[in-house]
Amino acid sequence: DTAVSQTPKYLVTQMGNDKSIKCEQNLGHDTMYWYKQDSKKFLKIMFSYNNKELIINETVPNRFSPKSPDKAHLNLHINSLELGDSAVYFCASGDRASILGANVLTFGAGSRLTVL
Amino acid sequence: QKEVEQDPGPLSVPEGAIVSLNCTYSNSAFQYFMWYRQYSRKGPELLMYTYSSGNKEDGRFTAQVDKSSKYISLFIRDSQPSDSATYLCAMTALQGGSEKLVFGKGTKLTVNP
């Protein structure tokens, strides 16, 4: 059973289209995230939700809209896609390591978005 | 200056070599330090985490944190071809009531048989 699953794995679309990526976690974590990884492998946080509430909203164009219907799901909708949106988008869920308190993330396999 | 600096490499070593991967950081509020490993076309997975300064060992892997120098390292002993991956350092700080997690850019490691 995949802990953090996201779909689709690959997405190729034209500029100007609207697309969605879905994410589900079965780990019972309260916190979920969307990260963007560009061609240079830099992993940058976009959004974070804790128990369906938005807690981190980095400087991301408002064409990107996250939605969390429940704490096990966090979807990402992107309007009016641009060439620069091409990247791998990772969903993650977080849990505090029981002793040390570090926020340990479990990542999905990624959704590779290519905008033509 | 970026909050977390990591040499992207690439780093290529022969099998059996000792590998040293490093990150420096500027924010003294960072308290938890982590290393993630990312295989090609996969998501990052947690390898090790440490709190504050000191060493932590797990099999062939040793994580080292020097808060006075704002420097963290990951050592891999007896490196194997299966260790070939991108290694990302990450660190967290509590700021403004919420947690901030910052990743380094990752170092791509290739271990040649």
Side-chain angles (χ1 to χ4, degrees), chain A residues 14-83:
Chain A
Q14 300 285 333
M15 264 197 322
N17 284 351
D18 303 339
K19 290 293 177 186
S20 292
I21 308 171
K22 296 185 175 182
C23 180
E24 176 181 3
Q25 55 100 357
N26 62 8
L27 297 167
H29 292 166
D30 284 339
T31 310
M32 294 185 72
Y33 306 79
W34 278 111
Y35 279 84
K36 179 180 180 181
Q37 189 171 49
D38 59 27
S39 56
K40 294 183 180 177
K41 299 294 186 186
F42 185 49
L43 200 61
K44 190 167 181 193
I45 190 166
M46 300 174 70
F47 303 103
S48 173
Y49 271 74
N50 184 272
N51 209 3
K52 300 194 298 176
E53 183 184 340
L54 180 66
I55 56 170
I56 294 176
N57 184 356
E58 291 294 311
T59 307
V60 174
N62 57 15
R63 298 181 295 103
F64 291 78
S65 52
K67 278 191 173 55
S68 182
D70 55 61
K71 75 172 195 177
H73 295 85
L74 179 61
N75 304 323
L76 183 65
H77 188 75
I78 315 170
N79 288 327
S80 304
L81 279 156
E82 300 178 356
L83 293 176

Side-chain angles (χ1 to χ4, degrees), chain A residues 37 96-97 100 103 105, chain B residues 32 36 38 41 46 49 99:
Chain A
Q37 189 171 49
R96 300 214 166 266
L100 294 185
N103 192 9
L105 298 189
Chain B
Y32 297 102
Y36 283 81
Q38 185 176 17
R41 298 198 174 253
L46 181 72
Y49 64 86
E99 186 170 286

Side-chain angles (χ1 to χ4, degrees), chain A residues 9-10 33 35 37 40-43 45 55-56 90 96-98 100-110 112, chain B residues 2 32 34 36 38 40-46 49-51 56 86 88 92 94 98-101 103-106:
Chain A
K9 196 167 182 178
Y10 298 97
Y33 306 79
Y35 279 84
Q37 189 171 49
K40 294 183 180 177
K41 299 294 186 186
F42 185 49
L43 200 61
I45 190 166
I55 56 170
I56 294 176
F90 286 101
R96 300 214 166 266
S98 56
L100 294 185
N103 192 9
V104 172
L105 298 189
T106 302
F107 284 84
R112 185 174 293 270
Chain B
K2 285 193 170 58
Y32 297 102
M34 287 150 277
Y36 283 81
Q38 185 176 17
S40 182
R41 298 198 174 253
K42 300 284 186 186
E45 55 177 346
L46 181 72
Y49 64 86
T50 54
Y51 173 70
K56 184 176 181 180
T86 296
L88 302 106
T92 68
L94 278 175
S98 63
E99 186 170 286
K100 181 177 183 177
L101 171 64
F103 281 87
K105 286 194 172 185

Side-chain angles (χ1 to χ4, degrees), chain B residues 38-107:
Chain B
Q38 185 176 17
Y39 290 114
S40 182
R41 298 198 174 253
K42 300 284 186 186
E45 55 177 346
L46 181 72
L47 199 56
M48 296 182 72
Y49 64 86
T50 54
Y51 173 70
S52 198
S53 286
N55 291 358
K56 184 176 181 180
E57 193 173 315
D58 184 2
R60 296 184 294 109
F61 298 87
T62 299
Q64 200 171 72
V65 174
D66 182 349
K67 289 193 79 177
S68 61
S69 303
K70 297 191 178 68
Y71 188 87
I72 70 169
S73 301
L74 178 71
F75 297 97
I76 308 174
R77 290 186 300 281
D78 187 25
S79 56
Q80 303 294 309
S82 58
D83 296 328
S84 298
T86 296
Y87 290 81
L88 302 106
C89 64
M91 42 200 83
T92 68
L94 278 175
Q95 285 186 336
S98 63
E99 186 170 286
K100 181 177 183 177
L101 171 64
V102 181
F103 281 87
K105 286 194 172 185
T107 301

